[in-house]
Amino acid sequence: MTDIEGPEDGRLERAILELLDRRGPAATICPSDAARAAYAGDDDGWRALMEPVRRAARRLAAAGEVEITQGGRPVEPAEARGPIRIRRAR
């Protein structure tokens, strides 16, 4: 697994940031929210975007724009296992 950017990665990063902009400063989103927002279809094809969204969130975390949380607490992106949430960096 790598964090090298592909053609859809900018779109996924924008989806994350746009969703967070629509919510309160302390609000979080699930990666599936961004995957659904970025997916153009009306079926469950958004599921294929889950790992690319998680990678996009890791890049945004490295840039200091977001935090990845588990159980309401920030975690190191590389150490996150299982369900995560994404929020604006504090």
Side-chain angles (χ1 to χ4, degrees), residues 28-60:
T28 65
I29 63 167
C30 178
S32 65
D33 297 330
R36 286 182 178 101
Y39 183 64
D42 59 358
D43 56 13
D44 67 351
W46 60 268
R47 293 178 186 277
L49 295 177
M50 288 298 292
E51 187 53 37
V53 167
R54 289 173 69 100
R55 287 194 304 266
R58 287 194 295 268
R59 284 191 303 278
L60 289 169

